[in-house]
Coordinates of all heavy atoms in Angstrom, one line a residue:
E45 N 86.6 180.8 123.8 CA 87.0 182.2 124.2 C 87.3 182.2 125.8 O 86.4 182.0 126.5 CB 86.2 183.4 124.0 CG 86.8 184.7 124.2 CD 85.9 185.8 123.8 OE1 84.7 185.6 123.2 OE2 86.4 187.1 123.8
D46 N 88.5 182.4 126.2 CA 88.9 182.5 127.6 C 88.4 184.0 128.1 O 88.5 185.0 127.5 CB 90.3 182.4 127.9 CG 90.8 181.0 127.6 OD1 90.0 180.0 128.0 OD2 92.0 180.8 127.5
D47 N 87.9 184.0 129.3 CA 87.4 185.2 129.9 C 88.5 185.6 130.8 O 88.6 185.1 132.0 CB 86.0 185.0 130.7 CG 85.6 186.3 131.2 OD1 86.1 187.4 130.8 OD2 84.6 186.3 131.9
H48 N 89.3 186.6 130.4 CA 90.3 187.1 131.3 C 90.1 188.4 132.0 O 91.0 189.1 132.4 CB 91.7 187.2 130.4 CG 92.2 186.0 130.0 ND1 93.0 185.1 130.8 CD2 92.1 185.4 128.7 CE1 93.4 184.1 130.1 NE2 92.8 184.2 128.9
E49 N 88.8 188.7 132.0 CA 88.5 190.0 132.6 C 88.7 190.0 134.1 O 88.9 191.1 134.7 CB 87.0 190.3 132.3 CG 86.7 190.6 130.8 CD 85.2 190.8 130.4 OE1 84.5 190.9 131.5 OE2 84.9 190.8 129.4
N50 N 88.6 188.9 134.8 CA 88.8 188.9 136.1 C 90.2 188.5 136.6 O 90.5 188.2 137.8 CB 87.8 187.8 136.8 CG 86.4 188.2 136.6 OD1 86.0 189.4 136.6 ND2 85.6 187.1 136.3
D51 N 91.2 188.6 135.7 CA 92.6 188.2 135.9 C 93.3 189.3 136.9 O 94.3 188.9 137.4 CB 93.4 188.2 134.7 CG 93.2 187.0 133.9 OD1 92.4 185.9 134.5 OD2 93.6 186.9 132.8
D52 N 92.6 190.4 137.1 CA 93.2 191.3 138.0 C 92.9 191.1 139.4 O 93.3 191.7 140.5 CB 92.8 192.8 137.7 CG 93.4 193.2 136.3 OD1 94.3 192.5 135.8 OD2 92.7 194.1 135.7
E53 N 92.0 190.3 139.7 CA 91.5 190.1 141.1 C 92.6 189.5 142.0 O 93.4 188.6 141.5 CB 90.2 189.1 141.2 CG 89.0 189.7 140.5 CD 87.8 188.7 140.6 OE1 87.9 187.7 141.2 OE2 86.8 189.2 140.0
D54 N 92.6 189.8 143.2 CA 93.7 189.4 143.9 C 93.2 188.2 145.0 O 92.4 188.4 145.8 CB 94.2 190.5 145.0 CG 95.2 190.2 146.0 OD1 95.8 189.1 145.8 OD2 95.5 190.9 146.9
D55 N 93.6 187.1 144.6 CA 93.2 185.9 145.4 C 94.6 185.3 146.0 O 94.6 184.2 146.3 CB 92.7 184.8 144.5 CG 93.5 184.4 143.3 OD1 94.4 185.3 142.9 OD2 93.1 183.3 142.6
S56 N 95.6 186.2 146.2 CA 96.8 185.8 146.8 C 96.7 186.0 148.4 O 95.9 186.7 148.8 CB 97.9 186.6 146.3 OG 97.8 188.0 146.5
S57 N 97.7 185.5 149.0 CA 97.8 185.6 150.5 C 98.3 186.8 150.9 O 98.9 187.6 150.0 CB 98.6 184.4 151.0 OG 99.9 184.6 150.6
L58 N 98.1 187.2 152.1 CA 98.6 188.5 152.6 C 100.2 188.6 152.7 O 100.7 189.7 152.6 CB 98.1 188.9 153.9 CG 96.5 189.1 154.0 CD1 96.0 189.1 155.4 CD2 96.1 190.2 153.1
E59 N 100.8 187.5 152.5 CA 102.2 187.5 152.7 C 102.9 188.0 151.4 O 104.1 188.3 151.5 CB 102.7 186.1 153.1 CG 102.5 185.6 154.5 CD 101.0 185.1 154.7 OE1 100.5 184.5 153.7 OE2 100.4 185.4 155.7
E60 N 102.3 187.8 150.2 CA 102.9 188.3 149.0 C 103.2 189.7 149.1 O 102.4 190.5 149.5 CB 101.9 187.9 147.8 CG 102.0 186.6 147.2 CD 101.3 186.5 145.9 OE1 100.1 186.3 146.0 OE2 102.0 186.4 145.0
D61 N 104.4 190.0 148.6 CA 104.6 191.4 148.6 C 104.1 192.2 147.4 O 103.6 191.5 146.4 CB 106.2 191.6 148.7 CG 107.0 191.1 147.5 OD1 106.3 190.5 146.6 OD2 108.1 191.1 147.5
A62 N 104.1 193.5 147.3 CA 103.4 194.2 146.2 C 104.2 193.9 145.0 O 103.5 194.0 143.8 CB 103.5 195.7 146.6
T63 N 105.5 193.9 144.9 CA 106.2 193.6 143.7 C 105.6 192.4 143.0 O 105.4 192.3 141.8 CB 107.7 193.5 143.9 OG1 108.1 194.8 144.5 CG2 108.5 193.4 142.5
S64 N 105.8 191.3 143.9 CA 105.3 190.0 143.3 C 103.9 190.0 142.8 O 103.5 189.4 141.7 CB 105.4 188.9 144.4 OG 104.9 187.6 144.0
L65 N 102.9 190.6 143.5 CA 101.5 190.8 143.1 C 101.5 191.6 141.8 O 100.7 191.2 140.8 CB 100.7 191.4 144.2 CG 99.3 191.6 143.8 CD1 98.6 190.1 143.5 CD2 98.6 192.2 144.9

Side-chain angles (χ1 to χ4, degrees):
E45 181 177 11
D46 289 331
D47 184 7
H48 291 282
E49 293 176 12
N50 297 322
D51 285 346
D52 296 340
E53 289 183 7
D54 180 13
D55 54 342
S56 60
S57 66
L58 295 175
E59 290 83 33
E60 274 192 283
D61 62 3
T63 304
S64 174
L65 181 59

